[in-house]
Amino acid sequence: MEPNSPGDLWTAIHAERARLAEDLAGLDDAQWATPSLCGRWTVEDVVAHLTAAASIGRLRWLRSVLGARFDFDLHNQRRLEEHRGTSPAETLQRFRAVVGNTVAPSKDTSAWLGEVVVHGQDIRRPLGLPRTPSIGAVTEVARFFAGRDFTVPSRSAAQGLHLVATDGPFVSGSGPLVSGPTLALTMALAGRGTCCDDLTGEGVSILRSRCAPG
């Protein structure tokens, strides 16, 4: 079932955070240091980033961005370092402490669901962890990404393409076809080029060219 209200969206966010925390519990130090799909960040870095995102409201976010002179990479790095522990165990403990938070820099709740859906797979795919988010949660994120450039230029990536999920109700746009699992479509819209390997259709090469390297 797709979340269709702010309360439903927060319930989905909390559920996805809790599932990710369960997956993280069994990692060894080498796995925590594994490069994620998110640029130069390791698995531990991504977890610290998720903790930061769940801990900062609008005013603190604005102060942080202003302090970084609108350099969002610097802003994210500073907040990541603030919430990273002295060990992976402490980093996980800090993440667990914010699983039920409803704090966010804006009211764009679908975007914050996207944060944990995408970053959860940034962690799981390199580690070979099989768990995936619910189709309802991913469908909500896919629709948000296809309709709006927010934290990632996802609407721009989808422009001029006909996106069709093979495992759920998500359909968007017109043009060359790109089809496949909802999660793969969502990750590709978020710029994860390796996820295009799970897609088919004449539009895949176009979408891949719009993704970040990786």
Side-chain angles (χ1 to χ4, degrees), residues 10 14 33 35 40 47 63 66 69 79 83 105 119 123 132 152 157 169 172 214:
W10 278 115
H14 297 157
R40 66 184 185 281
V47 175
R63 286 196 294 269
L66 287 169
R69 297 185 179 182
R79 300 289 68 79
H83 291 277
H119 285 319
I123 290 168
T132 57
V152 290
S172 177

Side-chain angles (χ1 to χ4, degrees), residues 34-130:
T34 298
S36 74
L37 296 186
C38 191
R40 66 184 185 281
W41 286 353
T42 65
V43 166
E44 187 173 5
D45 291 334
V46 176
V47 175
H49 171 73
L50 285 170
T51 304
S55 305
I56 189 167
R58 183 164 182 79
L59 290 179
R60 283 194 64 207
W61 182 86
L62 285 171
R63 286 196 294 269
S64 178
V65 169
L66 287 169
R69 297 185 179 182
F70 294 94
D71 182 335
F72 289 95
D73 288 339
L74 177 59
H75 153 75
N76 282 329
Q77 189 64 34
R78 285 175 172 174
R79 300 289 68 79
L80 178 162
E81 291 169 356
E82 177 185 1
H83 291 277
R84 181 171 175 154
T86 57
S87 67
E90 185 177 352
T91 300
L92 177 55
Q93 181 180 18
R94 292 181 177 189
F95 178 61
R96 283 176 171 154
V98 302
V99 161
N101 280 12
T102 54
V103 177
S106 76
K107 295 182 179 180
D108 303 282
T109 317
S110 295
W112 311 122
L113 177 57
E115 185 90 351
V116 66
V117 164
V118 171
H119 285 319
Q121 295 308 301
D122 285 340
I123 290 168
R124 290 184 178 110
R125 283 179 68 102
L127 294 175
L129 300 176

